[in-house]
Amino acid sequence: MAQRLFFGVDVGGTFTKIALVDEKSRLLAKSKFSSEGFSNKAFFAKTLRANILSILSEHKLALRHLKGIGIGLPGPVDFDKGIVLSLTNIKGWNRFPLSAYLRRYFSVPVFIDNDANCMGLAESRLGAARGTSYALCLTLGTGVGGALILDRQIYRSSYFLSAEVGHIPVVLDGPKCSCGGRGCLERFVGNRALLSAARRVFKKDMSLEEVSCLAAKGDLRALKIWRDAGNIIGLAVSGVLNVFNPEIVVIGGGVAEAGDALFASIRRTVTCHAMEQLKKYVKVKKAALGNDAGVLGAALLAKEQVGIRV
Amino acid sequence: MAQRLFFGVDVGGTFTKIALVDEKSRLLAKSKFSSEGFSNKAFFAKTLRANILSILSEHKLALRHLKGIGIGLPGPVDFDKGIVLSLTNIKGWNRFPLSAYLRRYFSVPVFIDNDANCMGLAESRLGAARGTSYALCLTLGTGVGGALILDRQIYRSSYFLSAEVGHIPVVLDGPKCSCGGRGCLERFVGNRALLSAARRVFKKDMSLEEVSCLAAKGDLRALKIWRDAGNIIGLAVSGVLNVFNPEIVVIGGGVAEAGDALFASIRRTVTCHAMEQLKKYVKVKKAALGNDAGVLGAALLAKEQVGIRV
């Protein structure tokens, strides 16, 4: 069986996920392991290798079929040089030439990118934005990440950031943000901001799942939390729409699980603020790949970088 | 003299400007004529031809050296097909295949683009953004136009708009805008909005030049008008910065003549809202080419489209 295989790796602060994908972008297997101890780079490389070998052997596949590895990371990376620029969740990886380092362990090309870019790539190829050429992808979670797909390619600037939609300022001189800016979207619709909004409204700690449940039952306070969040997401998204005119906006991440209450509000705000030419066409869709988007995108990155575009 | 020449044309509602540029992007000559009667397309073509021939003969240049014509228009165009989609200032040009039409009059390739894109191209090649690969260009006038230069190329989406920075919404559910959206930047810092702000503050009609004069003399009310405008421009620009990460923001158009009072406020707001990685590097500069940017950019468009990149 002369197939060509790719591993996608999604390195998170708590867990690292991996997925095996074939040259037709089919997901063959996936697994997940703790990210503990990954400050030690050799330990990370060995753990990754052990997990990759274990999946291959489980599926009776040989290492020689592996043609590339893609890695998504929660921080800025120098994609061209394969260097991790900074990671907040794993210490000691700043300015670390991860691609070159791992290449010695695997003898195949290793590509790294920002995790939001990987998710955007996966949604663009296999998910909600499939078939489009220009897409804006958002991930709503603890942070609010973004990726732009321009002419089917991930947009990368010279500053090694992804399209940081979460750091669009929505309020002049607003609250300070960890990014160095102020009044960023993330400060209003990131997990933490939504949890504290819920706490303020319900006078007790609530999970976002509980807020969504209440909203689904018609609780006006819960609905207002999602409506407010949708308004502010819609406002920021409309600005990107009018500047960059994507065909579709794909929204994923844990917070997107809020579902209709949130999406109806986002859509209403986008319809209100997008230019006439755009509001007729642009779609706002929920991400389709869920938790697999990150690993899948990382694998697709490797696959496409070695020249396979099936 | 085997030189290759290009004409740039900037079609405005009141005047149309033309400029003759050689293959080294040197401006050889320019002129300006009324746009009256241009609803009649044959009249437009003949007027343009007469003006082009007159400039050529004045400079003892032959028509056979003309290798292309670029045209900037105040509305959306289908660049690839050379079709004007709509023009508000000149009637009857909607869905008009201008490139094909003019080609019959000139026997050289004719390229058309949005005027904001032409200005952006000129500033990118010869003006304030020269030497950069990623730039955001704004023109502040009656309308607020924008252009994105990504990897040295004008960004064009599939919707035939330029990067409509003037239509970034800055206020949720804000005042209606002619674009079909609401709360757009243009509604707050377009000429008309600034003039009415001045009228409110000074209780009489004032030109923006007068407001600038007063600001230069330290008048606090005039300074506040520019500071407020700069704040809101800076907010919208910061959003684009954090998503696209250009190296430079170039701001031109009549309103940019307000100078320091306006630019200091824009820079302060950008420094406040841009991400740490960006605020250290990104420059906010005044456009360098003034009123020539439009025609120059149109000529450069033609020059580059026929394959000359000197």
Side-chain angles (χ1 to χ4, degrees):
Chain A
M1 193 164 51
Q3 63 184 318
R4 293 176 289 183
L5 302 174
F6 301 88
F7 266 97
V9 183
D10 186 10
V11 180
T14 315
F15 288 106
T16 291
K17 298 182 222 165
I18 64 175
L20 174 62
V21 162
D22 70 8
E23 63 186 46
K24 298 226 163 93
S25 303
R26 285 177 300 210
L27 176 66
L28 303 183
K30 54 182 182 172
S31 85
K32 182 170 146 175
F33 44 91
S34 167
S35 298
E36 222 185 301
F38 283 1
S39 296
N40 180 332
K41 290 148 197 162
F43 176 70
F44 165 70
K46 282 173 196 160
T47 307
L48 182 58
R49 190 176 159 88
N51 278 277
I52 282 179
L53 290 177
S54 142
I55 284 188
L56 287 173
S57 95
E58 235 174 74
H59 289 77
K60 301 193 187 355
L61 294 162
L63 188 57
R64 75 190 143 81
H65 294 312
L66 182 64
K67 298 302 173 197
I69 297 173
I71 304 184
L73 296 145
V77 305
D78 182 335
F79 169 78
D80 290 326
K81 295 189 178 144
I83 295 172
V84 181
L85 295 176
S86 72
L87 277 188
T88 36
N89 293 324
I90 301 175
K91 286 198 196 318
W93 283 38
N94 292 4
R95 302 214 56 81
F96 175 45
L98 180 61
S99 292
Y101 184 80
L102 287 184
R103 197 175 170 128
R104 283 181 287 162
Y105 280 84
F106 293 99
S107 307
V108 296
V110 177
F111 305 92
I112 68 175
D113 207 338
N114 181 281
D115 53 8
N117 278 345
C118 290
M119 294 171 85
L121 184 66
E123 289 293 338
S124 151
R125 300 304 193 255
L126 305 171
R130 190 173 184 163
T132 67
S133 297
Y134 295 81
L136 168 65
C137 300
L138 260 77
T139 48
L140 305 173
T142 309
V144 174
L148 282 177
I149 308 290
L150 303 191
D151 200 12
R152 286 187 56 79
Q153 301 308 309
I154 295 175
Y155 173 67
R156 291 187 183 89
S157 75
S158 23
Y159 291 103
F160 314 121
L161 298 165
S162 68
E164 298 286 355
V165 180
H167 298 289
I168 293 178
V170 289
V171 173
L172 186 67
D173 293 337
K176 267 204 162 187
C177 180
S178 60
C179 77
R182 275 181 179 279
C184 297
L185 177 64
E186 187 172 300
R187 292 288 276 107
F188 296 92
V189 303
N191 234 318
R192 225 166 303 159
L194 292 172
L195 287 173
S196 78
R199 202 179 306 124
R200 258 198 321 276
V201 169
F202 294 103
K203 320 280 186 222
K204 60 167 183 168
D205 281 333
M206 299 261 290
S207 70
L208 295 183
E209 290 73 21
E210 287 172 302
V211 178
S212 293
C213 268
L214 284 172
K217 288 177 193 154
D219 182 289
L220 294 178
R221 296 163 301 172
L223 283 169
K224 184 172 185 314
I225 288 176
W226 292 126
R227 192 168 62 239
D228 289 350
N231 276 338
I232 208 154
I233 293 167
L235 186 73
V237 161
S238 297
V240 182
L241 279 182
N242 291 349
V243 169
F244 145 76
N245 322 149
E247 300 152 76
I248 187 167
V249 180
V250 176
I251 303 181
V255 173
E257 297 306 318
D260 274 358
L262 178 67
F263 277 81
S265 169
I266 297 174
R267 287 192 187 106
R268 189 203 67 82
T269 313
V270 165
T271 305
C272 171
H273 289 97
M275 294 176 74
E276 203 60 48
Q277 292 98 319
L278 305 173
K279 68 174 90 195
K280 283 184 269 184
Y281 302 107
V282 71
K283 291 181 186 68
V284 176
K285 279 196 188 172
K286 196 172 166 218
L289 303 171
N291 286 329
D292 289 339
V295 270
L296 272 175
L300 295 179
L301 177 76
K303 184 181 85 101
E304 297 191 1
Q305 286 299 316
V306 304
I308 305 175
R309 298 258 163 185
V310 184
Chain B
M1 194 166 49
Q3 63 184 318
R4 292 177 288 182
L5 302 174
F6 301 89
F7 267 96
V9 184
D10 187 10
V11 181
T14 316
F15 289 106
T16 290
K17 297 182 222 166
I18 63 173
L20 174 62
V21 162
D22 71 7
E23 64 186 46
K24 297 226 163 91
S25 302
R26 286 177 300 210
L27 177 65
L28 303 183
K30 54 182 181 171
S31 83
K32 183 171 148 176
F33 44 90
S34 166
S35 298
E36 223 186 298
F38 284 0
S39 295
N40 179 332
K41 289 148 197 162
F43 177 70
F44 165 70
K46 283 174 195 161
T47 308
L48 183 59
R49 190 176 158 88
N51 278 277
I52 282 179
L53 291 177
S54 142
I55 284 187
L56 287 173
S57 92
E58 235 174 74
H59 289 77
K60 304 192 184 353
L61 293 162
L63 188 58
R64 73 190 143 82
H65 293 313
L66 181 64
K67 298 302 173 197
I69 296 173
I71 302 182
L73 296 145
V77 306
D78 182 335
F79 169 79
D80 289 326
K81 296 190 179 144
I83 295 172
V84 181
L85 295 176
S86 71
L87 277 189
T88 36
N89 293 324
I90 303 176
K91 288 200 193 317
W93 284 37
N94 290 4
R95 302 214 57 80
F96 174 45
L98 181 59
S99 293
Y101 184 79
L102 287 184
R103 205 190 158 116
R104 282 181 288 160
Y105 281 83
F106 294 98
S107 306
V108 296
V110 177
F111 305 93
I112 69 175
D113 207 340
N114 182 280
D115 54 6
N117 279 345
C118 290
M119 294 172 86
L121 185 65
E123 290 293 337
S124 152
R125 301 302 193 256
L126 305 170
R130 189 171 182 163
T132 66
S133 298
Y134 294 81
L136 169 65
C137 299
L138 260 77
T139 49
L140 305 174
T142 308
V144 174
L148 273 177
I149 308 288
L150 302 187
D151 199 12
R152 286 187 57 78
Q153 302 307 310
I154 295 174
Y155 173 66
R156 292 190 183 86
S157 75
S158 23
Y159 291 103
F160 314 119
L161 298 167
S162 69
E164 299 285 357
V165 180
H167 298 287
I168 293 178
V170 289
V171 173
L172 187 66
D173 291 338
K176 265 206 164 186
C177 181
S178 60
C179 77
R182 276 181 178 276
C184 297
L185 177 63
E186 188 171 299
R187 291 289 277 107
F188 296 93
V189 303
N191 234 318
R192 224 166 305 159
L194 291 171
L195 287 173
S196 80
R199 201 179 306 125
R200 258 198 323 275
V201 169
F202 293 102
K203 319 279 187 224
K204 60 168 184 167
D205 280 334
M206 300 263 287
S207 71
L208 295 184
E209 290 73 20
E210 288 173 300
V211 178
S212 292
C213 268
L214 285 172
K217 289 178 190 155
D219 183 289
L220 293 178
R221 295 164 301 172
L223 283 169
K224 185 173 184 314
I225 287 175
W226 292 126
R227 193 169 61 242
D228 289 350
N231 275 340
I232 209 155
I233 294 168
L235 186 74
V237 161
S238 298
V240 182
L241 279 181
N242 290 349
V243 171
F244 283 95
N245 321 148
E247 300 153 76
I248 187 167
V249 180
V250 176
I251 303 181
V255 173
E257 297 306 319
D260 274 359
L262 178 66
F263 277 80
S265 169
I266 296 175
R267 289 193 186 105
R268 188 203 68 80
T269 312
V270 166
T271 304
C272 170
H273 289 97
M275 295 176 75
E276 203 61 46
Q277 293 97 317
L278 305 173
K279 67 173 92 194
K280 283 185 268 183
Y281 302 106
V282 72
K283 289 180 187 67
V284 176
K285 280 196 188 172
K286 195 174 165 216
L289 303 171
N291 286 330
D292 290 339
V295 269
L296 272 174
L300 295 179
L301 177 76
K303 185 182 82 103
E304 297 191 1
Q305 287 298 317
V306 304
I308 305 177
R309 297 260 164 186
V310 185

